[in-house]
Amino acid sequence: MEHRSWAEPWKIKMVEPIELRTRDEREAAIERAGFNTFLLRSDEVYIDLLTDSGTSAMSDRQWAGLMLGDESYAGSRSFYHLVDAVRSVYGYEELVPTHQGRGAEHILSQILIRPGDVIPGNMYFTTTRFHQEHAGGTFVDVIIDEAHDPDSTHPFKGNIDLDKLAAVVDTYGAERVPYVSFETNVNMAGGQPVSMRNLADVYEFCRRHGILVMLDATRALENAYFIQQREGGYQDRSVASILREICSYSDGATVSSKKDNLVNIGGFLALRDPELAARARSLLVAFEGLHTYGGMSGRDMEALARGIEEMVAGDEHVRARVGQVEYLGNTLIKAGIPVVRPIGGHGVFLDAAAILDHLPQEHFPAQALAAAIYRDSGVRGMERGIVSAGRDPGTGENRHPNLELVRLTIPRRVYTQSHMDVVAESVMAVYERRHRVGGLRFVYEPEQLRFFQARFEELPA
Ligand code: PM9
């Protein structure tokens, strides 16, 4: 068939007004927020690209599901609908529902990690690593080198380097490695996928060594789409069947349902082993809620079950979702703005180190760039660099990630192509006068996950 553009497989039924504040109001807001976009009030934001987490627009079918949610404390009908959806779409038998992704990470880390253990993974994620360290483990990054290079166009920058993984197992012994933490469509690398070949190879390696493979399948749908587009032999397969195959190379998964699954709250831990699931459930009742709701209301679970079914109902949903992200990314690339390539699945990642090359990493270029874009246009992005990386718990020193990025994250089914044009114009305007953007320093640095609540002030010029 001749080439046709993607278009969203839906039309808009309800709208929520947004408003652009004046420049003076934006200046006051970002100062009040301590130059941290997390501390802005949403009313102060025009186009909100802070995160794709919990910001999706639900469908009419999901909203209808809210009315049908079964709020029984135990054995809710909506829970069993969710179990069926996870079994048929992801292929895991055992479902442990949680209030969101980090709830699942907490339970998984507590049941599998003993103090002194080592957890290899393909680049850290903030909350995932926090829970691994909180359980007494140490995370070791075994992602391929290309992932740390914003300019590498490797099609699967999320892949695990098997030599690095083997070296970890050699050094510490398989008995100290409870599982490999394998993220699909790696967030901190720029939304970069893992290939099916790599998933299969890692699983086979781990089986030989008696090590479990636990996916972070939060954005596995987007990963499945990239496999369909980029990996030989998958062009004619549905995204749904590719997603099932991805999960087949694992023993379980944690999922933040606030992303791919098209709901505003929710998550789960899914497992194959009933004995492991029983251990998870016994902790669940202490930390999250009963094993048939785990922190979600009946209506949340009903909307989630429907969101899971909907995301794979056809390939057009994910094609349009990633298509919109690529539209923004390609517009910026054409304008010569340094961004992480290839364009990722859930957002466009600006290379703040290259854009603000007059600032050392200690002056927080990505934090400063996110604040400058907000000032320019009311567009809210997020720092993903040295502030997010935090301090090494052993030495107390700042970690220095190679990637110093601002993430412009696209919520699902929320904004139009015109919004993307406005965002691109703002990034270009800030880029034009980039040398006028100064650095920042901490005035308040929280001990854990500091990027959420830290406050900064501008360094004197
Ligand atoms: N991700 C994001 O904006 C929300 C909070 S952190 C800024 O990208 C992965 C790959 C995630 C993720 C959250 C979680 C935690 C786990 N894995 O936020 O607890 O991207 O539902 O999930 C965010 P919850």
Side-chain angles (χ1 to χ4, degrees), residues 9-14 54-68 81 257 259-264 299-300 302-313 317 412-414:
W10 38 262
K11 57 185 180 176
I12 297 166
K13 178 141 53 179
M14 188 191 282
T55 52
S56 297
M58 292 203 296
S59 67
D60 48 3
R61 193 170 166 274
Q62 287 178 288
W63 279 104
L66 292 188
M67 298 303 293
L68 296 170
H81 185 182
S257 295
K259 285 83 167 174
D260 275 355
N261 295 165
L262 299 168
V263 286
N264 305 120
R299 55 186 174 274
D300 294 334
E302 190 57 42
L304 172 53
R306 291 169 183 232
I308 290 172
E309 290 161 356
E310 226 167 72
M311 74 179 190
V312 292
H317 158 68
R412 294 164 187 79
R413 309 194 292 202
V414 171

Side-chain angles (χ1 to χ4, degrees), residues 230-294:
R230 297 180 188 169
E231 195 163 349
Y234 288 92
Q235 277 70 13
D236 297 327
R237 292 266 302 273
S238 68
V239 171
S241 82
I242 298 172
L243 176 57
R244 276 289 292 241
E245 188 180 335
I246 289 175
C247 297
S248 73
Y249 299 121
S250 70
D251 299 287
T254 54
V255 173
S256 165
S257 295
K258 301 171 73 171
K259 285 83 167 174
D260 275 355
N261 295 165
L262 299 168
V263 286
N264 305 120
I265 193 71
F268 57 88
L269 167 63
L271 296 162
R272 296 198 198 287
D273 178 1
E275 192 268 331
L276 208 53
R279 280 168 54 206
R281 289 187 186 109
S282 74
L283 275 188
L284 192 79
V285 294
F287 287 108
E288 297 279 317
L290 192 75
H291 58 283
T292 57
Y293 72 84

Side-chain angles (χ1 to χ4, degrees), residues 98-113:
T98 59
H99 75 285
Q100 61 183 90
R102 68 199 75 179
E105 292 167 349
H106 176 216
I107 303 290
L108 181 71
S109 301
Q110 292 296 325
I111 58 174
L112 288 182
I113 300 173

Side-chain angles (χ1 to χ4, degrees), residues 38 50-53 100-102 105 125-128 183 187 216 218-219 256 258-259 266 382 384 407 451-452:
F38 273 100
L50 183 74
T51 177
D52 63 331
S53 180
Q100 61 183 90
R102 68 199 75 179
E105 292 167 349
F125 185 72
T126 51
T127 57
T128 320
E183 186 184 336
N187 191 351
D216 180 334
T218 294
R219 295 185 181 84
S256 165
K258 301 171 73 171
K259 285 83 167 174
M382 178 200 294
R384 294 276 76 163
R407 188 181 72 172
F451 59 95
F452 282 127

Side-chain angles (χ1 to χ4, degrees), residues 164-176:
K164 289 187 190 172
L165 178 58
V168 172
V169 174
D170 274 356
T171 308
Y172 299 96
E175 63 290 349
R176 297 268 306 277

